[in-house]
Amino acid sequence: MFVIGERLNGMFMDVRKGIQTKDKSIIHKVALDQVKAGANALDINVGPASDKPLETMVWLVETVQEVTDITLSIDSPKFDVMKAALEVCKNPALMNSTKGEEAKLDKYFELASKHNASIIGLCINEKGIPKTIDGRVEVAALIAAKAMEHGIDMDRLYIDPIVMPTNVAQDQAVIVLEAIKQFGLLSSPPPHIVVGLSNLGQGAKERELLTRTWIVMAILNGLDAAIMDAADEEMTKAFITAELLMGKAIYSDSYIKAYHASHDHVQK
Ligand code: THG
């Protein structure tokens, strides 16, 4: 599982405070906690409260890069913010995200090519999020076709079916699972598949249990990346175990320890 740490998001109180008071130590701590917990990349999102999203994003990227050189996932719906962030990223980044809108895809893929970035393509088009399996697969197919046109190989493309809160959209949990399965047939090799895992249980009482159970089902269908709290040990154990049972690691009694040992990131 490619883990994109979700905690550097202005939606969280500590990060919002770090942004508002320009307190780098708060940002450094959140970043390092995610990296130490085994994150493969860090999602960087200024959150809903920022009135200067571009300046804030650039500051966040530069601040995080002071303590780690891990891959950054630039999470912004604004093209100018994405562009400015990529210009200050030291390493190839992940662009989070691009909607499946025919008119806009070209400029996003051109930007990805210019910066050697990977890209997350969302199953959202001009009409919003398709609520059916076929609707999501259709948007994913458009994104994958456009990526190929721009010479972006599938290893640099992540399709996001868009996970929705189960307490208000229960039918979507299984529809997304089925869409994930079908994304595997889009191309050979297929694109990566990523979700914002925390969306699933938002507002639900059994949030952790819902999400842990769903990720195991999604892994069986081909999910190979998630935006999640890398320090959520129970969630991590669930996906490590699902991947083990699928034969992606060799069993030993200490398989969880072995996984962590092989994901121990070296710090600067
Ligand atoms: N797909 C892609 N990118 C995404 C999402 C997605 N980026 C944003 C989001 N969804 C993933 N990140 C989060 C981060 C936090 C929460 C959910 C998703 C979250 N936060 C707390 C809550 O609502 O309970 C609030 C934070 C707090 O106040 O403590 O759930 O789907 N490509």
Side-chain angles (χ1 to χ4, degrees):
M1 178 75 44
F2 186 80
V3 175
I4 305 169
E6 75 175 8
R7 281 287 280 106
L8 279 163
N9 188 318
M11 194 195 285
F12 293 101
M13 279 301 283
D14 53 354
V15 174
R16 187 181 313 165
K17 187 162 167 247
I19 291 171
Q20 282 167 351
T21 61
K22 287 276 187 295
D23 184 343
K24 288 183 168 183
S25 67
I26 296 177
I27 306 300
H28 289 163
K29 181 178 187 312
V30 174
L32 287 176
D33 283 350
Q34 293 286 289
V35 172
K36 281 179 195 145
N40 302 102
L42 298 178
D43 199 57
I44 311 288
N45 185 318
V46 300
S50 179
D51 55 347
K52 285 189 181 158
L54 194 150
E55 287 78 1
T56 305
M57 177 64 87
V58 167
W59 180 80
L60 262 181
V61 167
E62 288 175 335
T63 303
V64 170
Q65 289 184 145
E66 288 170 3
V67 291
T68 177
D69 51 17
I70 199 168
T71 301
L72 301 183
S73 160
I74 308 301
D75 191 350
S76 171
K78 298 192 169 75
F79 189 78
D80 61 332
V81 173
M82 183 66 71
K83 194 164 173 283
L86 290 178
E87 272 157 20
V88 293
C89 281
K90 288 186 204 156
N91 294 312
L94 188 52
M95 290 165 61
N96 184 17
S97 50
T98 304
K99 292 179 185 169
E101 296 174 342
E102 182 99 53
K104 292 188 189 158
L105 280 167
D106 284 322
K107 69 173 184 178
Y108 275 91
F109 283 125
E110 278 161 19
L111 189 63
S113 295
K114 183 176 171 205
H115 292 280
N116 196 24
S118 295
I119 196 158
I120 295 179
L122 307 179
C123 290
I124 301 181
N125 62 15
E126 296 79 358
K127 290 183 247 159
I129 303 170
K131 299 298 184 299
T132 62
I133 301 164
D134 287 355
R136 281 185 167 87
V137 173
E138 199 180 307
V139 180
L142 171 72
I143 296 170
K146 274 280 181 197
M148 286 177 210
E149 243 175 63
H150 284 266
I152 307 263
D153 64 38
M154 291 299 108
D155 198 39
R156 278 168 61 199
L157 180 65
Y158 292 74
I159 299 289
D160 183 339
I162 306 293
V163 164
M164 299 176 72
T166 298
N167 62 345
V168 293
Q170 191 183 346
D171 65 325
Q172 293 298 302
V174 69
I175 286 173
V176 170
L177 286 172
E178 192 55 39
I180 289 173
K181 197 171 177 182
Q182 295 195 19
F183 293 164
L185 306 170
L186 282 174
S187 59
S188 181
H192 295 289
I193 300 162
V194 66
V195 295
L197 199 57
S198 299
N199 302 3
L200 185 86
Q202 260 171 343
K205 181 155 179 282
E206 298 291 353
R207 183 175 193 168
E208 284 75 22
L209 182 60
L210 281 167
T211 316
R212 275 206 307 278
T213 305
W214 189 89
I215 195 176
V216 169
M217 300 163 89
I219 287 169
L220 180 63
N221 282 6
L223 183 79
D224 67 352
I227 302 165
M228 58 174 272
D229 181 358
D232 183 337
E233 184 55 20
E234 291 305 315
M235 194 70 64
T236 303
K237 284 199 277 193
F239 80 65
I240 294 171
T241 305
E243 291 181 334
L244 179 93
L245 291 171
M246 287 177 70
K248 294 189 177 169
I250 295 168
Y251 180 82
S252 75
D253 282 344
S254 53
Y255 71 91
I256 290 174
K257 231 172 153 183
Y259 176 92
H260 284 306
S262 67
H263 287 74
D264 201 359
H265 294 284
V266 179
Q267 284 303 299
K268 274 204 270 188

